[in-house]
Structure formats: C-alpha cells, structure tokens
Amino acid sequence: MPVTAVSCCGRDYVCHMAPSYQRTPLFLLAPLVAPTDPPATTQRPTLGCVRPRGAHRFQWVGDLVPEFGISSSSVKILSSPAEFYQVMKTQVKAAKKRITMASLYLGTGPLEQQLVDCIEETLQKTSQTDLQVSILLDYTRGSRGKKNSRTMLLPLLRRYPDRVRVSLFHTPNLRGLLRLLAPERFNETIGLQHMKIYLFDDNVILSGANLSDSYFTNRQDRYILLQGCQDVADFFNELVMAVGDVSLQLKPDDTIHTEEGMEHPYEGDKAKYCEAAKRRVLKVIETARHKQCELHSASFQSREPALGTEPPDTWVYPLIQMKPFGIQIDELVTETLLTEAERGDQIHLTTGYFNLTQGYMDLVLGTRADYNILLASPEVNGFFGAKGIAGAIPAAYVHIEHQFYNEVCKQGQRLRVQLREYFRDHWTFHAKGLWLYPAGKSLPCLTLIGSPNFGYRSVHRDLEAQIALVTENQDLQRQLHQVTLVSGGGAITQGARGCHVLYYAGLALFKELPCG
C-alpha cells in the first residue's frame, strides 16, 4: 500500500492509502460531487493526556481535540423540526449573556421573522443589557436574492449596533474571474460556511439544520441539546467567534468590511488569509484542549471529581473540518473510527446526500464492521421537483448510490453492508450522522452529530463542525438507539433477514435495493 503522512494540530501521522474502485463522473454535477483521490486512513494516535477515568475505547480522540466530561442528564435529544424550533425560541427568550448562532443561512419567511423578533425582544429587556448576539452565516448563500439573510438581520443590526454582530464567511477559493462569472447558486458550490451551532448562555444545540422554515416544519434532521455545559458552550462560542473574525462584517448600511488587520478573503493574498484563519481556529482548539488536560490531571491526582460535580458518564469531543484552512480533524477521526471498528460492531450511518468520499466508501467496503446505511429516496431529496439543472440532482445521487451498491454486491458483501432509502409523504430528509454499536451490544455507545454529510464538499470545501458523543449511561444510549435511523416519529422494528426496517403510520419507509 502507498504510504503518506498527514499533519493535524502539530502532529504527524503515518497513513496508508486505501484501494479504490472506479466511479462514473457526472459532468452535470461536477461542482457538487466532483470525485477526489481517496483520503488517507490514519493510525490511532497515542494517548498523551492524563485522564481521571479508565480509558474507554474512544479516548484517543482527546489527543486531537478537547475532551469534555459531562453528565448524561445534561443531554437532551430533540426529535422533530417543530420541537427544534420551539426549543430555539424558548432558549432565545431565556438568554441573559449571549446568543451565538452559526448557520448556512437565515430564511426569509414568517417563522424566521418570529425568531428574529424573539432575539429583538430579548435585547429590549432592560435586565439584559449585557446580552451580546453573534450570528455567523455564509456570504454567498446569505446574500442570494433581493430579500435574503442580510436584509432579515439589518433592522436588528441598526437598532443594536454595539450588541449585535453579523459575520458573513466568504470562501477564499471563490475569487478573481471565477467569482465574477459564477452565477448565484453555482457560486455556492465552491465552498460554504456549513456549521450549525446554536448557543444560548451555557446551553448549545448541535445540528445539521439551517435557520429556515422547512427545517422548522417538515425537513427531518437531527438535533442534540447540551444543557448547562459551560466549557462546551465556551468552546463553540470561541469557535464561532474565530471564524467570525476571519469573515466579512455586515454593517448597518449593508456594506461589508474585514476586521482591522485581517487579510481580505477574496481580494487579499489567499495563502496569508488561509494561514491566519488556520492559526485563529487552531488556537481555539489547542487552548481548550490544554485547559481540559489540566482539569483531567488535577482530578486524576486528587482522585476526586471537582467540588460540586458528578463524575462524568458522557464525553463530548468537538470535531472540526475546514480543509480550505488545512484543518482535517473530523476526517481524521471519522476514518479512524471506520478503520478500527471491530468485527461484530455495527455502524449505522445516515446522510441526506449519498456522496461519500471515495476514501469513506473504500473503508466501508474494506473494513470489518457491519453497516446499515440510511439515505434519502429521490422523492425526499430537497432538490426533488426543482426547475432546471437542480431537478436532476436527485437522479444523480441515485446513480452514485446504485454504483456503490452494485460494488457491494460484486464483492459479496450484501449481508454486511445494507442500504435503505427513507421516504415520507410531504417531507424532505436532511439527517446525517453515525452511531456505533459495540459487538454483542444492542445499544450504541457513540454517535456523531452535526453538519458534515460525509461527502466531497464536507471533507474538502466547506467549514464543518460536529461532536463525537460517547456515553456509558444506558438511558442515554436508549435515547440514541430510539433515534437511530429513525425520523418523523417512526419506530425501529425487525424486518426480513434481520435487517432494520423503519415504519411510520404502518407503512415501511425503507425500500430494499436490488443488485444489478
């Protein structure tokens, strides 16, 4: 096998390149699903941070990112778009010191306006004079059309210029002639701010959902609320601020400016900009990691948890992927999880857009665990029925899906790797994530939840963030199991040949795919 090296957070790892199979390129969707060389698969990093508990099998992740030990009672799984929206409004109204939001865009409908109104009402409270609001969106998506995310937020910015910050991330890869010629929508394929982080004081929601009406009504996603987790909230607040610092700042007159002393993302020197952005983000990660290591060491030496705290039974690891800046932590951890999953482990993986990188596909086909993969049927793809070239996107994803499944059948792995499609009338599907069930166990001990789709753009072009959540608490494991591959209030039951089949209102939502 060819050998290469990957650098991450100042460390070098030896990597072995996985073998690949051919995949037909789709010119129609080249900007969206462009093929890439298989990314490197890394060996497990050696442990380097003293921890107060016996190491669970995933504690190696803490050598790359901060490890936050929390109580499972702090974790709340949200199940529906309506619940997500209501919790967001409740959290906004209760905020006293900070509201920090990162999303691809803010929609322009009445539900989005209600959310903005909630923020304004909270700012108006005389007892909340210290409340600061920071919103990070993508520049290209947030500027699309005459009425857009910017116009939705300008009234707030004009009323509270000292307490509201709106940052618009512009990818450094969209510049020069390409920026001048690429039309709206197509310019968004070059790279985006794709993180979905919603933070209120010391509570934080990690999700894949945007701030738009369909994500509040009938577009199924995943959402996890971490309550009273100050260290976790501080980390994600600092992360959003760091990306905001290297973004364009929206002003009350609808102009945009860079922060003083910051290289311009598309007019300035690209290398200097990317290096400055990388330093800013890595500083957040390394500062938090160093702080958590010191806390772990102090607790280990005293043999007692910090005063007034319960011993943790759940651990949160933030995974960041910002390939334009040379940050590939999420990719590194995801590949290592897939590589080192043991025989008998079950991995459940879901994505609204089936465009796994070649490297991820090779690992699914070439490793030992059993896989259940849930993806959107064409009818629940967000582009289904769209006009023009966008209307062909669902068929393109089906093409990729069938190519992959034919390879599964060709290699005789149909029993080990199983694909299902999600369908629900009048809904779309945007959920993404991973659950790991240890061999012989009926409940998952680890989940990945956040913005990445495991595809080319998530790995190579966009800014992404998710968490790896590991828990020893069986009640929380049961909650994670109940939402495993489940959306829209469905329930898991056992189907033919022991495969998981999802039912909603008595109707099977999975369609088994034929080989050939």
Side-chain angles (χ1 to χ4, degrees):
M1 275 189 189
V3 177
T4 186
V6 171
S7 295
C8 185
C9 296
R11 300 172 179 81
D12 294 325
Y13 300 102
V14 177
C15 310
H16 302 275
M17 301 299 287
S20 65
Y21 66 91
Q22 293 300 314
R23 186 162 47 149
T24 304
L26 295 167
F27 175 76
L28 177 67
L29 297 174
L32 290 174
V33 295
T36 180
D37 292 332
T41 301
T42 60
Q43 295 178 344
R44 173 180 293 184
T46 57
L47 295 177
C49 181
V50 176
R51 296 178 176 86
R53 295 182 60 93
H56 58 70
R57 62 186 278 195
F58 307 108
Q59 251 182 336
W60 53 267
V61 184
D63 286 320
L64 294 173
V65 297
E67 176 188 82
F68 299 103
I70 65 172
S71 169
S72 56
S73 61
S74 301
V75 181
K76 180 176 175 60
I77 309 295
L78 310 182
S79 60
S80 70
E83 184 181 17
F84 168 59
Y85 182 60
Q86 291 304 320
V87 169
M88 288 267 287
K89 291 203 297 182
T90 300
Q91 291 288 325
V92 166
K93 292 175 181 178
K96 291 180 171 55
K97 61 179 181 178
R98 61 187 177 189
I99 296 173
T100 302
M101 297 183 174
S103 186
L104 173 61
Y105 69 105
L106 171 69
T108 58
L111 292 179
E112 298 92 316
Q113 187 60 58
Q114 287 181 35
L115 187 62
V116 174
D117 291 344
C118 281
I119 296 174
E120 181 174 5
E121 290 168 10
T122 305
L123 283 165
Q124 286 175 344
K125 293 179 183 178
T126 56
S127 61
Q128 318 260 303
T129 53
D130 293 332
L131 178 68
Q132 295 292 317
V133 176
S134 300
I135 299 174
L136 171 66
L137 305 173
D138 182 73
Y139 174 87
T140 53
R141 181 63 183 87
S143 303
R144 184 203 294 178
K146 290 184 179 180
K147 187 177 182 182
N148 52 43
S149 305
R150 292 166 64 167
T151 61
M152 289 288 288
L153 293 170
L154 279 172
L156 204 61
L157 193 59
R158 287 166 181 158
R159 291 188 189 104
Y160 302 96
D162 297 327
R163 298 171 63 192
V164 175
R165 181 198 202 198
V166 178
S167 304
L168 303 169
F169 173 79
H170 191 295
T171 177
N173 294 325
L174 181 64
R175 55 177 49 231
L177 193 60
L178 177 62
R179 187 175 188 277
L180 291 174
L181 298 180
E184 285 188 346
R185 295 180 183 267
F186 284 90
N187 60 7
E188 297 166 23
T189 66
I190 307 303
L192 297 167
Q193 190 308 105
H194 199 246
M195 299 186 295
K196 319 296 169 61
I197 300 165
Y198 308 113
L199 191 151
F200 317 92
D201 292 342
D202 294 336
N203 305 327
V204 58
I205 298 174
L206 278 301
S207 179
N210 290 302
L211 298 175
S212 182
D213 57 357
S214 63
Y215 293 91
F216 303 151
T217 53
N218 64 347
R219 186 158 174 75
Q220 186 63 52
D221 216 302
R222 296 179 66 211
Y223 335 83
I224 190 167
L225 169 62
L226 306 178
Q227 304 174 92
C229 299
Q230 181 178 344
D231 288 347
V232 179
D234 287 347
F235 172 84
F236 281 107
N237 185 70
E238 286 298 315
L239 177 67
V240 173
M241 292 297 182
V243 177
D245 288 346
V246 302
S247 299
L248 299 169
Q249 307 304 313
L250 182 65
K251 300 300 179 182
D253 61 356
D254 199 24
T255 59
I256 52 171
H257 302 278
T258 59
E259 290 281 18
E260 186 177 351
M262 187 63 212
E263 195 78 21
H264 198 284
Y266 62 85
E267 293 179 351
D269 184 281
K270 180 180 176 181
K272 289 182 179 179
Y273 171 81
C274 291
E275 182 58 31
K278 179 179 181 178
R279 285 197 307 269
R280 184 71 180 85
V281 173
L282 287 183
K283 182 180 179 182
V284 173
I285 297 171
E286 285 302 307
T287 299
R289 181 177 171 274
H290 180 71
K291 177 183 177 182
Q292 292 304 308
C293 278
E294 288 186 334
L295 291 174
H296 296 328
S297 297
S299 180
F300 178 80
Q301 291 170 8
S302 68
R303 306 290 179 178
E304 294 180 0
L307 187 63
T309 63
E310 302 176 32
D313 60 1
T314 300
W315 295 267
V316 173
Y317 302 92
L319 307 180
I320 313 303
Q321 183 76 9
M322 300 180 179
K323 187 72 172 285
F325 305 155
I327 299 172
Q328 300 168 248
I329 298 172
D330 182 64
E331 178 186 9
L332 176 65
V333 171
T334 302
E335 288 188 338
T336 306
L337 286 172
L338 299 183
T339 301
E340 300 206 354
E342 300 169 357
R343 192 176 304 279
D345 287 351
Q346 285 195 32
I347 292 179
H348 291 203
L349 187 148
T350 184
T351 175
Y353 305 106
F354 189 73
N355 179 36
L356 303 185
T357 65
Q358 187 75 58
Y360 289 162
M361 287 188 177
D362 291 337
L363 287 171
V364 170
L365 290 171
T367 51
R368 297 161 291 187
D370 295 331
Y371 286 84
N372 287 285
I373 301 174
L374 174 63
L375 43 125
S377 69
E379 298 86 352
V380 300
N381 186 295
F383 293 97
F384 187 76
K387 295 180 180 179
I389 192 172
I393 290 177
Y397 282 117
V398 169
H399 179 76
I400 296 171
E401 172 189 338
H402 278 277
Q403 282 190 303
F404 175 68
Y405 196 67
N406 285 340
E407 189 66 22
V408 170
C409 296
K410 178 182 175 182
Q411 295 191 20
Q413 303 206 38
R414 192 177 177 188
L415 294 179
R416 191 181 67 83
V417 181
Q418 300 183 359
L419 275 71
R420 297 289 186 271
E421 290 183 343
Y422 171 89
F423 173 80
R424 184 181 179 187
D425 271 333
H426 309 300
W427 281 62
T428 56
F429 185 73
H430 195 249
K432 69 272 293 184
L434 179 150
W435 299 256
L436 191 146
Y437 291 68
K441 302 293 184 181
S442 60
L443 299 175
C445 64
L446 173 145
T447 190
L448 303 183
I449 179 168
S451 65
N453 285 299
F454 306 107
Y456 176 83
R457 288 183 57 178
S458 288
V459 171
H460 293 275
R461 294 189 174 184
D462 298 341
L463 306 190
E464 305 280 11
Q466 65 177 341
I467 60 170
L469 183 140
V470 180
T471 185
E472 295 175 347
N473 182 273
Q474 287 199 349
D475 287 340
L476 181 53
Q477 290 178 353
R478 289 189 190 95
Q479 291 181 57
L480 294 174
H481 175 68
Q482 288 169 4
V483 299
T484 302
L485 307 187
V486 178
S487 300
I492 291 281
T493 63
Q494 287 298 116
R497 296 184 302 282
C499 303
H500 283 121
V501 181
L502 176 62
Y503 289 85
Y504 181 79
L507 299 176
L509 299 186
F510 288 163
K511 301 182 293 185
E512 185 164 0
L513 304 176
C515 289

